[in-house]
């Protein structure tokens, strides 16, 4: 029985990693900060709008006082007052 449990947990961990690798993942901290994993580049950047290219779609963050707090090769942290999020093709 213990061996069956290990096999099942192994399948769950592999399944849990697939969606994150294939599509962007966003984590919000209220409407004041968002972390986006799966970022491939910044398309637009101003204090009222930031558009991020994720490959399959563009995510537009709109608001006031928006800025990029931190950016790596695959992720970005946006802070400010986020009023809306749009998903564009």
């Amino acid at each position: 029985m213990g061996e069956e449990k290990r096999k099942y947990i192994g399948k769950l961990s592999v399944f849990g990693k697939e969606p994150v690798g294939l599509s962007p993942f966003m984590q919000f901290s209220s409407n004041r900060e968002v972390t986006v994993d799966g970022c491939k580049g910044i398309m637009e950047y101003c204090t009222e709008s930031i558009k991020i290219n994720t490959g399959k779609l563009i995510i537009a963050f709109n608001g006031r006082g928006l800025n990029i707090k931190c950016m790596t090769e695959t992720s970005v942290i946006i802070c400010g007052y986020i009023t809306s999020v749009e998903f564009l093709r």
Side-chain angles (χ1 to χ4, degrees):
M1 184 167 162
E3 189 174 323
E4 289 176 16
K5 191 182 273 187
R6 276 187 239 129
K7 287 181 185 176
Y8 185 69
I9 290 172
K11 288 180 183 177
L12 280 176
S13 65
V14 170
F15 177 74
K17 291 180 184 176
E18 279 183 13
V20 174
L22 297 175
S23 52
F25 177 80
M26 294 185 290
Q27 183 175 5
F28 284 85
S29 178
S30 183
N31 66 333
R32 300 294 180 158
E33 184 175 284
V34 62
T35 302
V36 182
D37 291 323
C39 175
K40 297 191 184 286
I42 305 297
M43 299 186 69
E44 181 181 317
Y45 180 82
C46 68
T47 59
E48 296 175 349
S49 177
I50 298 176
K51 290 183 182 175
I52 298 174
N53 180 7
T54 64
K56 293 184 179 183
L57 56 98
I58 296 166
I59 304 173
F61 297 93
N62 302 302
R64 296 187 310 267
L66 300 179
N67 63 39
I68 294 176
K69 182 177 179 180
C70 181
M71 185 173 175
T72 67
E73 284 184 27
T74 59
S75 66
V76 64
I77 299 174
I78 297 171
C79 60
Y81 187 77
I82 301 166
T83 56
S84 69
V85 179
E86 296 178 74
F87 299 93
L88 312 166
R89 289 224 171 237

